[in-house]
Amino acid sequence: MADYREERNSEVIDSSHDKSEVRKIEFSNVEAAVGHDAAGQEKHAAPIRYKSDDLSVWEGAKKYKLVTAVAMCAAFSSSLDGYQISLNGGIVSNKGFIAQFAPPGTKIIEGKYISAWGGIQSAGQTVGQIFLQFATEAFGRKIALLILWGFLTASIFAETFANNWRHWLVAKLLSGAGVGMLQATLPVYLSELAPTQLKGFLINAYTFWFVLGQLAGSVSLNRLHTIAPMDFRTPIYTQWAMIGAMLAIFLVIPETPWWLVSKGKFDKARKVLLRYNGHMEDYNVEEVISVMNTTIEGERYIAKRDAQEGQFEIFRGRNLLRFIIAGWPKITQQLVGLTVFNTYSTYFFQYAGNKNPFLVTVILCSVQLLSMILTALLTDSVGRRPLTVYPYGVTVVSVLCLGIVGCFDYTSKAISSLVVFFACLATFSTTGASAIGYAYAAEVPQQRLRARTAGWALASSNLIAIMFSFCTPLMINGDTTRWGVRTGFFFAASGSIAVVISWFILPELARRTPGEIDEMFEKKINLRKFKNYVPSDSYRGE
């Protein structure tokens, strides 16, 4: 191990009666943050976990009321994300939309157009997730949220005035970029703002509001289908109210203390922490900032020691493994068939002969909502790993059953009901597991690489989504394939492989601090044994 030493001064907030006072703690070398034991093994001399991290989930919720409220408001902005995704999947079956964007006499839009719109949106998501990370890291999480708001606003503007399929293509590109930026930034923001025992709950709040947005979109389309089947503009116009609410939220919420500490802005971090937690009698802002600073300094030391600094350090050493883990749950989501029973649910059921595909979509959204309520309540107590691996296994069985049903006349009433049932089962199991995927993307990376790793991890998932966005409609109703419901066979095979890999590589991270996660990866603990690992006493800070 390199005997690297570096002089450094860092400001840490004093918790004395005069809270405006700042005291200097001099690290004579980086070992003050990382340290070594008698055997020469690295360990943190300063704490990387504070006492309140040991509170139960419910105790934490009662203690951190203000932070929880702020995080829930931030997560609410994802409802526009869900609303747009729902419109994209459902509006393609609207009669007015078909009349406007498809050739005369068309009853169901050809798969090539559906593929182009879905594919360009996924491409936009990937671009947004990759490139916004630079602003997220350099200028902060809050500035990044305002940037993505601009892209979403531009996409709604394009949708409002689109009158041919090419205009809609541009709108989907902008929409995809904005949605991708939101997906890569908001979970990171929530993970850095949330207390340790509430990270899973509050990150899952992102998907909870996303599902509510989907449900709102489905209800509005279903209502219009009944009273004004040729009207597809009104749902588009309603997005302006939602984008206005999103701007108000982004302007009010604070920057995350973790990012502020990483940039040496201790005074601003102190102000944020005291604003939302200072009312608690036993709150020690010095201890909190010390834990944050110790974790970040330790990561910097290890990166320099191992010569892994640079723009692409997330693809080196243990960071490469963390990158793979961060992205794998969302990749699995694609491989088990998300595009079949979620993104193109209306299109899928319309082709399957269901008389009311919009109603089926509303049912699926309700199933998602139930799944998210259960997942949000259980993810911090039951854990990330079991609520990811096992539900994806259920999804594989569900899409296999869909494929089997597809071998019969699934347009008949009885068998068509089976299609709906297995689609609901797949939706229920995948929704919660997919939501936890955002927790993995936000929690697995090192703190100093969090935005970068999450962006690339989610972008890798979208690369696969791009392929399936083009291929899935063609599988269902292509010129040569026309597999219909039998498309489930394909995703049962790909999903089985993904679930087996998930079993071996997904660790348990519930109620772990960033410093503890760093320690387990640095010590190369077996990924399936993270749950029972007990950190060194010196790591506890107690």
Side-chain angles (χ1 to χ4, degrees), residues 299 314 317-327 440 443-447 453 514 517-519 521-522:
E299 292 175 353
I314 65 170
R318 300 296 287 176
N319 287 329
L320 175 60
L321 175 61
R322 295 171 82 153
F323 162 73
I324 294 172
I325 294 172
Y440 273 104
E443 291 181 304
V444 169
Q446 289 187 4
Q447 172 58 38
T453 305
I517 295 172
D518 285 345
E519 178 186 353
F521 276 105
E522 182 65 17

Side-chain angles (χ1 to χ4, degrees), residues 1 15 19 62 115 122 125 149 151 153 163 168 179 204 213 293 356 386 404 417 420 425 446 452 454 468 481 509 533:
M1 180 186 65
S15 61
K19 295 192 176 184
K62 290 185 292 184
S115 296
S122 292
Q125 284 180 269
W149 177 87
F151 275 86
T153 301
N163 55 30
W168 195 255
V179 168
N204 282 327
N293 194 55
N356 194 344
I404 294 173
S417 297
V420 175
L425 182 59
Q446 289 187 4
R452 199 183 312 174
F468 285 138
T481 51
L509 303 177
Y533 177 75

Side-chain angles (χ1 to χ4, degrees), residues 12 25 46-48 285-295:
V12 181
I25 292 184
I48 59 173
V285 71
E286 177 189 349
E287 182 184 36
V288 173
I289 292 181
S290 176
V291 168
M292 293 178 180
N293 194 55
T294 297
T295 299

Side-chain angles (χ1 to χ4, degrees), residues 259-293:
W259 182 83
L260 292 170
V261 170
S262 73
K263 298 301 180 182
K265 300 180 179 182
F266 297 101
D267 187 56
K268 291 184 178 180
R270 166 185 174 271
K271 289 179 181 178
V272 172
L273 290 168
L274 290 178
R275 182 187 308 161
Y276 296 101
N277 300 323
H279 63 282
M280 296 183 291
E281 293 183 1
D282 59 343
Y283 188 74
N284 188 334
V285 71
E286 177 189 349
E287 182 184 36
V288 173
I289 292 181
S290 176
V291 168
M292 293 178 180
N293 194 55

